[in-house]
């Protein structure tokens, strides 16, 4: 019988082994350090393109003492503004240096991935920071190599890509909902680490986050979505099904973490029970992993507007103006 282990938040989870699922075992991989005292990976992941080791760069902004309590909006916005300024500096460096950065966002439904992605991408140039959220594969894509449709979205030099869910759909929803066969699943578990090592060897920095939310907090957020018409679209039939299969998802997540958290690209867990703190902590941590430096730009002078005394603007009445209701 599989042993039970109690995590720091008081929840009980099944032992992180393939045996917990009654499946064939897969070689155990190194796992990153986490807040619940999990073992650290054998070595730190490379932070610079080309596989070269880079000195750890601390973000230029230090967060205040963390607290499990909710955060006031004013305090959150002040801290967020500082971090977003650093994100702009980071992307400037990415563009200037030719760095390539991939950030994978995974986690429970309603864990706050989308809100964090929005806060990261909002201040950044969308030409150089793309958010990729792929729909379910079509009939043609189903016949491709599983990773193929994700490869075309990887960044070129000077670009950053954020995957709002990724190839790890196979280890989660596809596994639990029966959308893939056992052979396809275990082939993915074996192939994912090698696929990611290929990405890293090509010079791409890969960062993976898992957003963790408690059962009670997820239920509260689902109920809020049911009540709020502006957020109702966020609740899909698949989300409701995930509630009834909470333990199955937990077991699938444990196996995924154990076998795909490799030294070159460990999983980093985000405590997402308090959304505002989760967003700040995730951005702060991401900044600490990228060895960016502030890029100095030449000072620009705004030129004078062109003068043409012979030009006459058409009458305003001849143009189609929208009604000024506000």
């Amino acid at each position: 019988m599989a042993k039970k282990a109690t995590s720091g938040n008081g929840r009980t989870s099944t032992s992180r082994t393939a045996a917990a699922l009654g499946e064939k075992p897969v070689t155990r991989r190194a796992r990153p350090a986490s807040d619940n005292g999990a073992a650290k990976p054998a070595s730190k992941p490379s932070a610079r393109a080309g596989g070269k080791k880079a000195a750890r760069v601390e973000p230029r902004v230090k967060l205040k003492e963390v607290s499990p309590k909710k955060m006031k909006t004013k305090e959150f916005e002040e801290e967020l503004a500082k971090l977003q300024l650093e994100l702009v500096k980071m992307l400037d460096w990415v563009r200037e240096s030719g760095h390539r950065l991939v950030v994978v966002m995974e986690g429970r439904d309603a864990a706050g991935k989308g809100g964090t992605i929005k806060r990261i991408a909002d201040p950044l140039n969308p030409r150089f920071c793309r958010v990729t959220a792929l729909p379910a594969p079509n009939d043609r894509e189903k016949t491709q190599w599983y990773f193929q449709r994700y490869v075309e979205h990887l960044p070129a030099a000077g670009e950053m890509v954020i995957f709002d869910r990724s190839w790890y759909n196979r280890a989660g929803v596809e596994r639990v909902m029966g959308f893939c066969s056992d052979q396809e699943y275990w082939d993915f578990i074996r192939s994912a680490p090698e696929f990611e090592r290929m990405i890293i060897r090509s010079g791409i920095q890969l960062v993976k986050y898992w957003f963790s939310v408690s059962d009670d907090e997820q239920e509260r957020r689902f109920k809020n979505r049911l009540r709020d018409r502006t957020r109702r679209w966020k609740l899909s039939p698949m989300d409701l099904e995930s509630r009834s299969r909470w333990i199955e998802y937990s077991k699938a997540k444990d196996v995924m973490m154990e076998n795909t958290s490799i030294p070159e690209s460990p999983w980093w867990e985000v405590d997402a029970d308090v959304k505002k703190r989760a967003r700040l902590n995730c951005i702060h941590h991401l900044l600490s992993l990228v060895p960016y430096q502030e890029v100095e730009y030449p000072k620009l002078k705004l030129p004078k507007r062109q003068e043409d005394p012979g030009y006459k603007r058409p009458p305003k009445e001849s143009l189609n103006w929208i009604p000024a209701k506000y």
Side-chain angles (χ1 to χ4, degrees), residues 226-239:
L226 286 172
R227 289 191 292 263
D228 188 345
R229 182 64 182 85
T230 62
R231 291 190 288 175
R232 178 62 181 79
W233 62 271
K234 293 184 176 182
L235 195 61
S236 68
M238 200 65 66
D239 294 332

Side-chain angles (χ1 to χ4, degrees), residues 23 36 47 58 114 121 135 180 234 261 307:
E23 305 288 357
N36 62 6
E58 290 297 330
C180 66
K234 293 184 176 182
S261 188
E307 295 291 343

Side-chain angles (χ1 to χ4, degrees), residues 25-230:
V26 178
T27 305
R28 180 167 183 154
R29 306 284 185 180
R31 294 163 51 203
S34 64
D35 293 338
N36 62 6
K40 296 182 179 178
S43 62
K44 294 182 180 179
S46 173
R48 191 182 295 274
K52 296 180 180 179
K53 298 268 185 179
R56 184 181 180 85
V57 177
E58 290 297 330
R60 282 66 165 173
V61 178
K62 291 186 178 180
L63 293 178
K64 297 179 180 179
E65 287 289 328
V66 295
S67 166
K69 299 179 181 178
K70 290 188 178 295
M71 196 175 200
K72 292 183 178 179
T73 299
K74 182 179 179 181
E75 180 186 3
F76 168 73
E77 290 177 347
E78 289 175 352
E79 297 291 335
L80 179 63
K82 298 174 187 176
L83 292 171
Q84 286 184 328
L85 176 59
E86 294 301 317
L87 285 170
V88 171
K89 295 177 183 179
M90 181 196 76
L91 189 61
D92 283 345
W93 175 83
V94 167
R95 292 175 56 189
E96 185 73 14
S97 66
H99 194 69
R100 291 179 289 167
L101 176 62
V102 170
V103 181
V104 168
M105 298 286 197
E106 293 283 352
R108 292 279 190 178
D109 295 316
K113 300 180 298 297
T116 301
I117 292 171
K118 176 176 169 57
R119 271 64 179 191
I120 293 173
D122 267 355
L124 302 181
N125 188 332
R127 294 180 180 177
F128 302 98
C129 176
R130 302 194 309 274
V131 178
T132 299
L134 299 185
N138 57 36
D139 291 339
R140 179 177 179 275
E141 289 171 333
K142 289 178 181 178
T143 66
Q144 295 176 341
W145 176 48
Y146 177 73
F147 298 97
Q148 186 169 335
R149 70 189 193 121
Y150 297 99
V151 170
E152 62 181 291
H153 295 279
L154 295 176
E159 293 180 348
M160 170 183 178
V161 175
I162 304 173
F163 280 97
D164 185 355
R165 295 205 182 278
S166 64
W167 46 90
Y168 281 100
N169 280 335
R170 174 140 295 178
V173 62
E174 290 189 22
R175 173 61 169 172
V176 174
M177 301 303 296
F179 296 154
C180 66
S181 66
D182 282 352
Q183 180 178 345
E184 289 172 328
Y185 169 74
W186 288 110
D187 186 56
F188 170 82
I189 291 296
R190 286 187 291 268
S191 300
E194 294 307 317
F195 171 66
E196 292 173 6
R197 289 188 180 103
M198 288 171 60
I199 291 176
I200 295 166
R201 284 197 301 269
S202 76
I204 296 175
Q205 181 181 359
L206 177 62
V207 182
K208 301 183 298 193
Y209 289 108
W210 177 272
F211 283 70
S212 182
V213 65
S214 65
D215 189 357
D216 291 341
E217 180 60 21
Q218 186 192 55
E219 181 176 357
R220 187 188 69 80
R221 293 177 187 178
F222 277 167
K223 288 180 178 178
N224 285 342
R225 292 180 179 183
L226 286 172
R227 289 191 292 263
D228 188 345
R229 182 64 182 85
T230 62

